[in-house]
Amino acid sequence: MEFFERFAVPHPSPAIYASMVAIGLTVIAILAGLTYFKKWGYLWREWLTTVDHKRIGIMYLLCALIMLFRGGVDAIMLRAQLAVPDNKLLDSQHYNEVFTTHGVVMIMFMAMPFIIGFMNYIVPLQIGARDVAFPRLNAVSFWLFFMGAMLFNISFVIGGSPDAGWTSYFPLASNDFSTSVGTNYYMLSLQISGLGTLMTGINMITTIMKMRAPGMTLMKMPMFTWSTLVANLIIITVFPVLTVALAMGTMDRLFGTNFFTTTNGGMDMMWANLFWVWGHPEVYILILPAFGLYSEIISTFSSRNLYGYKSMVASMVIISALSCLVWAHHFFTMGQGALANSFFSITTMAIAVPTGVKIFNWLFTMWKGKIRFTVPMLYSVGFIPLFTIGGVTGVMLAMSAADYQYHNTMFLVAHFHNTIIPGVVFAMLAGLTYYWPKMFGFMLNERIGKWTFWLLSIGFVVAFFPMYISGLDGQARRMYTYSEAAGFSTLNMISFIGAGIMAVAFALIVYNVYYSVRYAPRNISADPWDARTLEWATHTPVPEYNFAIEPQIKTSEPLWDAKKRKHVLFPGKLDKIHMPNNSGVPFILASIFFVWGFSFVFAIWPLVIISTIGIFACLAHRSFEKDHGRYISLEEVTETEEKLGGAK
């Protein structure tokens, strides 16, 4: 009986019971399907043990899409709860759990894997490499992320979800106020997935700095690769801060330390500082690769080279530096002095300048270009005015005196979504549509894609713009209900309708994938968009080794110049190719990390010790393993190249 009490959800509801049933049925269906179609061996050989950067990138993107819908369900529940006054759909505790998990899922388990998935798939192709610098470490990074995400997502059916907000401020996140194990889930799952992200940062920087094709200097790299480099420099700078903060928070909750308590020498504001030292640069970890994607797409569909290449690079570097100097604007209202508020107000407003440079560069790229309004281009063009509005409201929030009025209202919620949805979600959908043919060998349906764009854009405006008004009228964020007399009901109902329109748009994404899998033609070229960068110079589907012959780079747009100026991209000859071996150790190691995290959540100390030994055993196995990879023979390379269209 004690076993069931330990893992019971402290605040059950019909929705949670339904989720338990749905999860159980889904797991049974997956296991039955794999067994019936005899796919266990295929799953293990091709996916669970892969170290191929392309497959790992696709798995990141698949997880991100699943988490997009998982977080989207939370968002619909939140908007439904606030659609009418005095609503009883969710009680206060359930509402706190839903908006906490919504924030964590969308930032850490949707947006992050989306951008890291694109980094994994695109960067080695853009720089002419055959894989990332550390393929085995890349697999470890993905599986740690995946297990961290799964650990977090079982919380609402085993033990209870975190309920202290996605920022998990202390003392609210302490044992005194968050009495369930939900916040333990928060601390451990983010620790595990964040460790994988930190490894990715090291891997990507090494790949870009050491594995570029001959002739590709830093100032000839594609803009997405530049954005990846800068974003990963931020990752290795700030993710250790999150790691330390989560470790301290875990010790406060499990071992009775006093890092963030309000007594015995603890400092609850230290959590806020450490969290936002990571948290605000995190926004730019997400947004800079999105800017890189927009740069590639706008240049391709304007049929022009990117305007102001050097200023685009410089603006990203400046943004990355300033991003680490703005964290305290998140607590202008927490009693800082005028000097500190003034400093962070100025740095916050200053970051708008290099961002504005990028927007003008995109506009100048389109100026007099031959614009093709494909689905990726629609997202890119739609992003500019919507993101600009979000940026302008950010400058309003940057004024510390005015922030006292805006900060704890729905105005801030509207601002945040006004930057993240056009800035990240639009970019991810644009990039997914743009690179889909390279990944899967067929294109997503343009007509359904355009319907999706317009519904998503209209739904976004209808959902979030009313929040600016209700926030200025005084509607506080984080409140689970309000009275009829408050006068917020009309604006909140409009927001709920907008959220419903967005839900229809996301359902259309699923339908588009289904429709395109069934009916899209497979006889597309390797370069269906008439693109400009190196990833489109290889075959579709991309062979395991990416490029049979190492490319020679002369400009920042090698494929375009090969097509238009007859540059020779592949001057060498075919030879055998060295590639890494697959390995099941990363999956096994991450699975043990899952057990380790779960054991810590519930303080099951014998299992903690056993899983810790297992982790070190996996590390020791790798340390003594003699694996020098393998060679793809010249005959196999030649056969593959002939099958895919001949050596380039």
Side-chain angles (χ1 to χ4, degrees), residues 50-77:
T50 187
V51 296
D52 185 341
H53 72 95
K54 299 179 290 298
R55 289 181 180 267
I56 290 172
I58 289 170
M59 288 193 291
Y60 268 118
L61 294 173
L62 179 61
C63 290
L65 278 173
I66 293 171
M67 291 297 104
L68 177 64
F69 289 98
R70 160 75 173 87
V73 171
D74 287 342
I76 292 294
M77 293 171 68

Short mmCIF file of all heavy atoms in Angstrom, two decimals, residues 50-77:
data_model
loop_
_atom_site.label_atom_id
_atom_site.label_comp_id
_atom_site.label_asym_id
_atom_site.label_seq_id
_atom_site.Cartn_x
_atom_site.Cartn_y
_atom_site.Cartn_z
N THR A 50 21.75 4.66 -33.54
CA THR A 50 22.38 5.47 -34.59
C THR A 50 23.26 6.57 -34.00
O THR A 50 22.98 7.10 -32.92
CB THR A 50 21.32 6.09 -35.51
OG1 THR A 50 21.97 6.72 -36.61
CG2 THR A 50 20.49 7.13 -34.77
N VAL A 51 24.33 6.89 -34.74
CA VAL A 51 25.14 8.08 -34.43
C VAL A 51 25.14 9.03 -35.63
O VAL A 51 25.88 10.01 -35.64
CB VAL A 51 26.59 7.71 -34.04
CG1 VAL A 51 26.61 6.89 -32.77
CG2 VAL A 51 27.30 6.97 -35.18
N ASP A 52 24.31 8.76 -36.63
CA ASP A 52 24.20 9.60 -37.82
C ASP A 52 23.53 10.92 -37.43
O ASP A 52 22.41 10.93 -36.92
CB ASP A 52 23.37 8.87 -38.87
CG ASP A 52 23.31 9.62 -40.20
OD1 ASP A 52 23.58 10.82 -40.22
OD2 ASP A 52 22.97 8.98 -41.22
N HIS A 53 24.19 12.03 -37.70
CA HIS A 53 23.66 13.34 -37.29
C HIS A 53 22.31 13.62 -37.92
O HIS A 53 21.47 14.33 -37.32
CB HIS A 53 24.65 14.45 -37.66
CG HIS A 53 24.74 14.74 -39.13
ND1 HIS A 53 24.01 15.74 -39.74
CD2 HIS A 53 25.46 14.16 -40.12
CE1 HIS A 53 24.29 15.77 -41.03
NE2 HIS A 53 25.16 14.82 -41.30
N LYS A 54 22.05 13.07 -39.10
CA LYS A 54 20.78 13.34 -39.78
C LYS A 54 19.63 12.63 -39.07
O LYS A 54 18.56 13.21 -38.84
CB LYS A 54 20.87 12.88 -41.24
CG LYS A 54 21.95 13.62 -42.04
CD LYS A 54 22.03 13.15 -43.46
CE LYS A 54 22.60 11.74 -43.59
NZ LYS A 54 23.99 11.62 -43.09
N ARG A 55 19.83 11.37 -38.71
CA ARG A 55 18.78 10.64 -37.98
C ARG A 55 18.56 11.24 -36.59
O ARG A 55 17.41 11.34 -36.12
CB ARG A 55 19.15 9.16 -37.88
CG ARG A 55 19.06 8.42 -39.21
CD ARG A 55 19.41 6.96 -39.05
NE ARG A 55 19.33 6.25 -40.32
CZ ARG A 55 18.25 5.61 -40.75
NH1 ARG A 55 17.16 5.58 -40.01
NH2 ARG A 55 18.26 4.99 -41.92
N ILE A 56 19.64 11.63 -35.94
CA ILE A 56 19.50 12.26 -34.63
C ILE A 56 18.74 13.58 -34.75
O ILE A 56 17.86 13.89 -33.93
CB ILE A 56 20.88 12.46 -33.98
CG1 ILE A 56 21.48 11.10 -33.59
CG2 ILE A 56 20.80 13.38 -32.76
CD1 ILE A 56 22.91 11.15 -33.11
N GLY A 57 19.03 14.35 -35.79
CA GLY A 57 18.30 15.59 -36.02
C GLY A 57 16.82 15.34 -36.23
O GLY A 57 15.97 16.05 -35.69
N ILE A 58 16.48 14.31 -37.00
CA ILE A 58 15.07 13.99 -37.25
C ILE A 58 14.39 13.57 -35.95
O ILE A 58 13.23 13.94 -35.69
CB ILE A 58 14.96 12.90 -38.32
CG1 ILE A 58 15.35 13.48 -39.70
CG2 ILE A 58 13.56 12.30 -38.38
CD1 ILE A 58 15.50 12.44 -40.79
N MET A 59 15.09 12.80 -35.10
CA MET A 59 14.48 12.40 -33.83
C MET A 59 14.25 13.60 -32.93
O MET A 59 13.22 13.68 -32.24
CB MET A 59 15.37 11.35 -33.13
CG MET A 59 15.34 9.99 -33.81
SD MET A 59 16.07 8.66 -32.82
CE MET A 59 17.81 9.10 -32.85
N TYR A 60 15.18 14.55 -32.91
CA TYR A 60 14.95 15.79 -32.16
C TYR A 60 13.69 16.49 -32.67
O TYR A 60 12.84 16.94 -31.88
CB TYR A 60 16.14 16.74 -32.34
CG TYR A 60 17.23 16.65 -31.30
CD1 TYR A 60 18.53 16.28 -31.66
CD2 TYR A 60 17.00 16.98 -29.97
CE1 TYR A 60 19.55 16.22 -30.73
CE2 TYR A 60 18.02 16.92 -29.03
CZ TYR A 60 19.29 16.54 -29.41
OH TYR A 60 20.30 16.50 -28.48
N LEU A 61 13.55 16.60 -33.99
CA LEU A 61 12.41 17.31 -34.56
C LEU A 61 11.10 16.58 -34.27
O LEU A 61 10.07 17.22 -33.99
CB LEU A 61 12.60 17.48 -36.07
CG LEU A 61 13.75 18.40 -36.49
CD1 LEU A 61 13.94 18.36 -38.00
CD2 LEU A 61 13.51 19.83 -36.04
N LEU A 62 11.12 15.26 -34.33
CA LEU A 62 9.92 14.49 -34.01
C LEU A 62 9.49 14.71 -32.56
O LEU A 62 8.30 14.93 -32.28
CB LEU A 62 10.17 13.00 -34.28
CG LEU A 62 9.00 12.06 -33.97
CD1 LEU A 62 7.78 12.40 -34.81
CD2 LEU A 62 9.42 10.60 -34.19
N CYS A 63 10.45 14.65 -31.65
CA CYS A 63 10.14 14.91 -30.24
C CYS A 63 9.59 16.32 -30.05
O CYS A 63 8.64 16.53 -29.28
CB CYS A 63 11.41 14.74 -29.39
SG CYS A 63 11.95 13.04 -29.24
N ALA A 64 10.18 17.29 -30.75
CA ALA A 64 9.73 18.68 -30.63
C ALA A 64 8.29 18.83 -31.09
O ALA A 64 7.49 19.53 -30.46
CB ALA A 64 10.66 19.60 -31.42
N LEU A 65 7.94 18.17 -32.19
CA LEU A 65 6.56 18.24 -32.69
C LEU A 65 5.58 17.62 -31.69
O LEU A 65 4.50 18.17 -31.43
CB LEU A 65 6.45 17.53 -34.04
CG LEU A 65 6.88 18.34 -35.27
CD1 LEU A 65 6.87 17.46 -36.51
CD2 LEU A 65 5.94 19.54 -35.48
N ILE A 66 5.97 16.49 -31.12
CA ILE A 66 5.10 15.85 -30.13
C ILE A 66 4.91 16.77 -28.92
O ILE A 66 3.80 16.95 -28.41
CB ILE A 66 5.68 14.49 -29.71
CG1 ILE A 66 5.63 13.51 -30.89
CG2 ILE A 66 4.91 13.92 -28.52
CD1 ILE A 66 6.38 12.22 -30.64
N MET A 67 6.00 17.37 -28.46
CA MET A 67 5.91 18.27 -27.31
C MET A 67 5.16 19.56 -27.65
O MET A 67 4.53 20.16 -26.78
CB MET A 67 7.31 18.61 -26.81
CG MET A 67 8.04 17.46 -26.15
SD MET A 67 7.23 16.85 -24.64
CE MET A 67 6.48 15.35 -25.29
N LEU A 68 5.19 19.97 -28.92
CA LEU A 68 4.40 21.13 -29.35
C LEU A 68 2.92 20.87 -29.11
O LEU A 68 2.18 21.73 -28.61
CB LEU A 68 4.67 21.44 -30.82
CG LEU A 68 3.87 22.58 -31.45
CD1 LEU A 68 4.20 23.91 -30.79
CD2 LEU A 68 4.14 22.66 -32.96
N PHE A 69 2.47 19.67 -29.46
CA PHE A 69 1.07 19.34 -29.24
C PHE A 69 0.77 19.10 -27.77
O PHE A 69 -0.30 19.46 -27.28
CB PHE A 69 0.69 18.12 -30.09
CG PHE A 69 0.64 18.44 -31.55
CD1 PHE A 69 1.71 18.15 -32.39
CD2 PHE A 69 -0.48 19.05 -32.11
CE1 PHE A 69 1.67 18.47 -33.74
CE2 PHE A 69 -0.53 19.36 -33.45
CZ PHE A 69 0.55 19.08 -34.27
N ARG A 70 1.74 18.52 -27.06
CA ARG A 70 1.57 18.32 -25.60
C ARG A 70 1.42 19.66 -24.90
O ARG A 70 0.51 19.88 -24.09
CB ARG A 70 2.78 17.55 -25.07
CG ARG A 70 3.05 17.64 -23.59
CD ARG A 70 2.09 16.81 -22.77
NE ARG A 70 2.49 16.81 -21.37
CZ ARG A 70 2.14 17.72 -20.48
NH1 ARG A 70 1.38 18.73 -20.83
NH2 ARG A 70 2.54 17.64 -19.22
N GLY A 71 2.30 20.62 -25.20
CA GLY A 71 2.20 21.94 -24.60
C GLY A 71 1.00 22.71 -25.11
O GLY A 71 0.44 23.55 -24.39
N GLY A 72 0.60 22.44 -26.34
CA GLY A 72 -0.56 23.10 -26.90
C GLY A 72 -1.85 22.72 -26.18
O GLY A 72 -2.74 23.56 -26.00
N VAL A 73 -1.97 21.46 -25.79
CA VAL A 73 -3.14 21.02 -25.01
C VAL A 73 -3.21 21.79 -23.69
O VAL A 73 -4.28 22.25 -23.27
CB VAL A 73 -3.08 19.50 -24.77
CG1 VAL A 73 -4.16 19.07 -23.77
CG2 VAL A 73 -3.24 18.75 -26.07
N ASP A 74 -2.06 21.96 -23.04
CA ASP A 74 -2.02 22.77 -21.82
C ASP A 74 -2.51 24.19 -22.09
O ASP A 74 -3.27 24.77 -21.30
CB ASP A 74 -0.59 22.82 -21.26
CG ASP A 74 -0.15 21.52 -20.62
OD1 ASP A 74 -1.03 20.70 -20.30
OD2 ASP A 74 1.06 21.32 -20.46
N ALA A 75 -2.05 24.77 -23.20
CA ALA A 75 -2.43 26.15 -23.53
C ALA A 75 -3.94 26.27 -23.73
O ALA A 75 -4.56 27.24 -23.26
CB ALA A 75 -1.69 26.61 -24.78
N ILE A 76 -4.54 25.30 -24.42
CA ILE A 76 -5.98 25.33 -24.63
C ILE A 76 -6.72 25.24 -23.29
O ILE A 76 -7.73 25.93 -23.06
CB ILE A 76 -6.41 24.17 -25.56
CG1 ILE A 76 -5.88 24.40 -26.99
CG2 ILE A 76 -7.92 24.01 -25.57
CD1 ILE A 76 -6.50 25.60 -27.68
N MET A 77 -6.22 24.40 -22.38
CA MET A 77 -6.84 24.29 -21.06
C MET A 77 -6.76 25.61 -20.31
O MET A 77 -7.73 26.03 -19.65
CB MET A 77 -6.16 23.17 -20.26
CG MET A 77 -6.38 21.77 -20.81
SD MET A 77 -5.36 20.52 -20.00
CE MET A 77 -6.08 20.50 -18.36
#
